[in-house]
């Protein structure tokens, strides 16, 4: 969602030692209601979907509720309020909620009365905590903002621990967004990047122990290459596909070797102007790059977003069928570059998986258990039993079949109710398939797994995702399926860089002109050999407008659309 920050005023009832925004007075012309409304309207007209009202301290304005309502009435899909919350009580929080505030980001850079020395506001800490509680009681989503400077560094680990100990609050807090200022009224408050990283890691350790989510502000953060190699810190980043190339940032020459460069802002020019470039650990592994791509929000929110998907594939026996694809794990024993699943996420909570299965079954929707690689979750058989017991549809598992070559694993899943599999196989040879999946030796194990599921009579669909590396093997895969697994159907998908984790790379994504002749040959070969080839009408299929007429009347729905 495109965000637009609107300053409502620059005056503030606190005077934080690191703040550059605060002023003693506001320009009457700039701060008048009509001027603020004009800025809000202009931001929405220019595409802003989320309006962030900030300051100074916006709650000093008597007309704040009216400004929020104006933003929503003018077309804002969401309104975030940045505040210290010291002036928010139960009545004010209820008014904010009714006006249309969807989220509050509360400035809280430490824990305890010692924070009052940083904000220079005696009693401010206690009033902020009371304001947070009022916001939560008004059902406004709350996240915290914490600045890492010399004065706050010692107080930050206590912030996470304090939240964890506060009854009923820690579970409702969305998380803590950490920023590292590169400019401040007192230059002595600014930390060198290595010292800031140390403070962030200390805070993150306390946050993990307290069960509090923590992530870095994309506009004010040390880049990932400043963090130590091999540490547990990738979850702190929310890099996006277009995160690089910002004018106030710069990429040193060493960044050219970094896989994260297109997504990472780089180094602040202001920071490099006052300190030498620190030692860097270049991100040179694809898995490491993917771990940095989490977008906005907490880990819990990311898991919820990706855990359940919806699809409506066409089945030969029953036509269009609504499916609920439930990811029981995000881990995988392969590493396909085109995979749109965030394989670095933690496993979803067991109770969430069970609830999703129950909801799908109750709605009469087919349950598909997926991942990552679902066979890596030891509870897969339990989920199969639950889905089989509740659903009127046979339950399918999406898998690479690597672990299904183990007879004990397969027998356990069949006993639990497994009746169908959707198996990824991205080449007809081990050389190609293992290169695509990034996992040497897994092609042979997937083939053995396919042998096993066909031998046990499971309904089997083999999924081949066309990418530049394997496009020339589609016809040979048709022949392999005909010779070895004639009872299986072959589903053809096309790689799409549609998710943030998938590289937009010509080395990965072929041109349609390259694949159409191969696809036409594969369809012709499948017809000759009696192989069922499907997938052209799915969301991962070839766009209708480029389908060649020579695919035949079998695919008339595609071919009747002129390019």
């Amino acid at each position: 969602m495109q965000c637009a920050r609107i300053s409502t005023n620059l005056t503030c009832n606190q005077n934080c030692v690191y703040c550059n925004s605060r002023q003693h007075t506001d320009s009457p012309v700039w701060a008048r209601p009509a001027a603020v409304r004009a800025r809000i309207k202009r931001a929405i007209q220019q595409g802003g979907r989320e309006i962030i009202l900030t300051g100074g301290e916006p709650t000093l304005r008597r007309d704040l509720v009216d400004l929020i309502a104006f933003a929503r009435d003018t077309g804002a899909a969401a309104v975030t309020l940045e505040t210290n919350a010291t002036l928010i009580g139960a009545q004010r929080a209820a008014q904010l909620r009714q006006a249309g505030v969807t989220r509050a980001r509360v400035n809280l850079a430490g824990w305890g009365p010692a924070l009052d020395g940083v904000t220079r506001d005696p009693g401010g800490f206690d009033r902020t905590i009371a304001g947070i509680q009022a916001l939560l009681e008004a059902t406004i989503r709350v996240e915290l903002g914490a600045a890492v400077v010399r004065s706050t560094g010692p107080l930050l680990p206590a912030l996470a621990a304090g939240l964890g100990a506060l009854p009923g609050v820690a579970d409702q807090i969305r998380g803590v967004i950490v920023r590292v200022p590169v400019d401040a009224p007192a230059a002595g408050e600014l930390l060198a990047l290595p010292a800031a990283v140390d403070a962030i890691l200390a805070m993150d350790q306390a946050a993990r122990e307290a069960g509090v989510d923590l992530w870095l502000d994309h506009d004010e953060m040390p880049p990932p290459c400043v963090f130590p190699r091999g540490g547990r810190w990738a979850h702190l980043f929310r890099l996006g596909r277009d995160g690089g190339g910002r004018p106030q940032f710069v990429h040193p020459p060493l960044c050219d070797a970094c896989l994260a460069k297109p997504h990472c802002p780089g180094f602040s020019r202001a920071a490099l102007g006052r300190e030498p470039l620190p030692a860097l650990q270049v991100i040179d592994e694809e898995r490491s790059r993917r771990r940095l791509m989490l977008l906005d929000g907490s880990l819990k929110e990311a898991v919820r977003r990706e855990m359940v998907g919806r699809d409506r594939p066409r089945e030969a026996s029953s036509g269009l069928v609504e499916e609920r694809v439930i990811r029981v794990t995000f881990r995988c024993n392969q590493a396909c570059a085109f995979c749109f699943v965030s394989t670095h996420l933690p496993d979803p909570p067991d109770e969430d998986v069970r609830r999703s299965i129950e909801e799908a079954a109750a709605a009469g929707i087919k349950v598909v258990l997926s991942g990552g690689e679902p066979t890596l979750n030891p509870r897969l058989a339990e989920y199969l039993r639950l889905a089989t017991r509740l659903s009127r549809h046979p339950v399918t598992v999406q898998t690479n079949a690597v672990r299904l070559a183990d007879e004990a694993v397969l027998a356990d899943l069949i006993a639990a109710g497994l009746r169908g599999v959707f198996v990824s196989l991205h080449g007809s040879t081990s050389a190609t398939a293992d290169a695509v999946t990034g996992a040497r030796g897994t092609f042979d194990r997937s083939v053995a797994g396919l042998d096993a599921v066909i031998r046990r009579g499971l309904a089997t669909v083999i999924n081949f995702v066309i990418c530049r590396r394997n496009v020339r093997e589609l016809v040979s895969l048709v022949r392999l399926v005909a010779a070895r697994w004639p009872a299986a159907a072959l589903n053809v998908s096309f790689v799409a860089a549609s998710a943030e984790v998938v590289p937009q790379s010509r080395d990965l994504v072929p041109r349609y002109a390259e694949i159409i002749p191969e696809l036409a040959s594969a369809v012709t070969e499948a017809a000759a050999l009696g192989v069922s080839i499907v997938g052209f009408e799915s969301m991962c299929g070839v766009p209708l407008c480029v389908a060649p007429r020579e695919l035949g009347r079998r695919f008339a729905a595609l071919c009747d659309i002129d390019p």
Side-chain angles (χ1 to χ4, degrees):
M1 183 182 297
Q2 184 174 340
C3 301
R5 296 174 64 85
I6 305 294
S7 293
T8 61
N9 55 286
L10 298 178
T11 52
C12 187
N13 60 330
Q14 293 188 333
N15 187 17
C16 300
V17 297
Y18 50 81
C19 181
N20 273 326
S21 299
R22 179 183 184 271
Q23 295 184 7
H24 294 293
T25 59
D26 286 308
S27 164
V29 175
W30 178 84
R32 66 186 182 185
V36 179
R37 288 172 182 249
R39 294 198 292 273
I40 292 172
K41 184 177 181 179
R42 185 165 54 250
I44 294 173
Q45 289 174 339
Q46 293 174 350
R49 297 282 292 151
E50 178 183 5
I51 298 299
I52 302 174
L53 299 180
T54 186
E57 175 49 49
T59 60
L60 287 174
R61 295 191 66 112
R62 295 179 181 179
D63 63 343
L64 178 61
V65 167
D66 294 334
L67 293 175
I68 294 165
F70 174 79
R72 296 304 296 268
D73 292 342
T74 307
V79 174
T80 292
L81 177 65
E82 291 189 338
T83 175
N84 58 38
T86 58
L87 304 177
I88 297 177
Q91 183 178 1
R92 192 77 183 278
Q95 292 171 343
L96 295 172
R97 180 71 178 90
Q98 185 174 4
V101 165
T102 49
R103 178 174 57 173
R105 181 177 296 176
V106 179
N107 180 40
L108 189 66
W111 192 263
L115 185 62
D116 295 348
V118 177
T119 62
R120 292 183 277 203
D121 177 26
F125 169 74
D126 289 336
R127 295 198 303 276
T128 293
I129 297 302
I132 290 172
Q133 292 172 320
L135 290 165
L136 292 174
E137 288 170 3
T139 68
I140 295 175
R141 298 170 68 204
V142 174
E143 62 190 21
L144 305 181
V148 179
V149 294
R150 196 170 304 279
S151 295
T152 64
L155 307 178
L156 291 173
L159 170 60
L163 286 173
L166 203 59
V169 171
D171 292 341
Q172 299 181 67
I173 296 290
R174 185 170 181 246
V176 182
I177 303 177
V178 178
R179 64 187 184 92
V180 181
V182 296
D183 194 13
E189 283 293 329
L190 301 176
L191 291 174
L193 288 176
V197 167
D198 289 342
I200 292 168
L201 293 178
M203 184 182 182
D204 181 51
Q205 177 63 36
R208 282 190 275 114
E209 293 173 357
V212 175
D213 282 319
L214 197 73
W215 65 95
L216 296 172
D217 188 319
H218 197 246
D219 294 323
E220 293 184 280
M221 68 178 189
C225 56
V226 181
F227 285 72
R229 185 180 292 275
R232 294 177 57 192
W233 47 261
H235 60 280
L236 296 172
F237 286 87
R238 304 291 186 269
L239 300 186
R241 176 172 287 158
D242 301 320
R246 300 190 179 193
Q248 67 271 35
F249 293 87
V250 63
H251 287 104
L254 194 60
C255 293
D256 292 340
C258 182
L259 296 179
K261 180 181 177 181
H263 322 297
C264 176
F267 290 85
S268 163
R269 294 181 186 273
L272 291 185
R274 70 168 194 273
E275 62 180 285
L277 190 69
L280 306 182
Q281 303 289 343
V282 172
I283 308 302
D284 55 8
E285 295 180 350
E286 174 62 15
R287 292 194 183 201
S288 298
R289 182 197 69 84
R290 292 174 72 95
R291 291 189 184 102
L292 302 172
M293 309 287 289
L294 198 59
L295 301 185
D296 182 46
S298 68
L299 280 172
K300 294 176 184 176
E301 290 174 327
V303 170
R304 280 197 296 269
R305 279 197 304 268
E306 295 202 31
M307 190 187 79
V308 179
R310 291 165 174 80
D311 199 4
R312 295 189 69 196
R314 183 179 298 276
E315 296 185 351
S317 59
S318 52
L320 288 176
V321 175
E322 186 174 357
E323 289 184 346
R324 194 69 50 85
V325 181
I326 301 170
R327 306 193 186 283
V328 302
T329 184
F330 294 97
R331 293 171 292 138
C332 192
N333 47 7
Q334 294 182 332
C336 305
F338 52 68
C339 182
F340 56 81
V341 178
S342 297
T343 51
H344 54 286
L345 290 177
D347 284 355
D350 174 65
E351 60 271 18
D352 289 355
V353 174
R354 294 179 184 274
R355 185 184 309 112
S356 298
I357 291 172
E358 292 165 355
E359 290 174 353
I365 298 170
K366 182 176 179 178
V367 174
V368 178
L369 300 180
S370 185
E373 173 47 48
T375 60
L376 296 178
N377 189 320
R379 289 177 168 163
L380 178 58
E382 297 177 29
Y383 299 142
L384 269 168
R385 289 189 188 93
L386 176 65
T388 300
R389 178 169 57 84
L390 297 178
S391 178
R392 60 185 177 86
H393 299 283
V395 182
T396 298
V397 169
Q398 294 181 346
T399 175
N400 56 35
V402 168
R403 298 194 70 238
L404 299 186
D406 185 327
E407 181 61 31
V409 172
L410 181 58
D412 188 31
L413 297 179
I414 291 175
L418 180 63
R419 296 295 179 266
V421 288
F422 187 84
V423 179
S424 298
L425 192 69
H426 305 308
S428 62
T429 64
S430 58
T432 296
D434 289 354
V436 171
T437 62
R440 184 177 299 175
T442 54
F443 171 79
D444 291 337
R445 294 164 65 190
S446 291
V447 166
L450 275 165
D451 289 342
V453 298
I454 292 292
R455 190 165 55 246
R456 297 294 294 267
L458 298 185
T460 303
V461 178
I462 298 170
N463 185 43
F464 178 85
V465 177
I466 298 174
C467 64
R468 184 176 291 277
R469 191 182 289 264
N470 66 10
V471 64
R472 304 298 180 193
E473 289 200 7
L474 179 54
V475 173
S476 57
L477 181 63
V478 169
R479 293 170 182 157
L480 175 62
V481 172
R484 192 156 186 165
W485 311 296
L490 177 61
N491 187 86
V492 178
S493 303
F494 181 71
V495 60
S498 56
E500 293 289 326
V501 294
V502 181
Q504 288 182 323
S505 168
R506 291 185 178 180
D507 293 336
L508 178 67
V509 185
R511 298 176 63 86
Y512 290 125
E514 295 176 62
I515 71 165
I516 293 303
E518 298 294 329
L519 190 56
S521 296
V523 169
T524 301
E525 189 75 1
L529 297 176
V531 173
S532 173
I533 185 167
V534 298
F536 301 104
E537 296 173 331
S538 77
M539 64 179 182
C540 296
V542 177
L544 308 183
C545 56
V546 301
R549 293 185 179 276
E550 62 262 38
L551 288 185
R553 299 311 302 171
R554 179 181 174 194
F555 304 105
L558 304 181
C559 303
D560 287 349
I561 299 178
D562 290 329

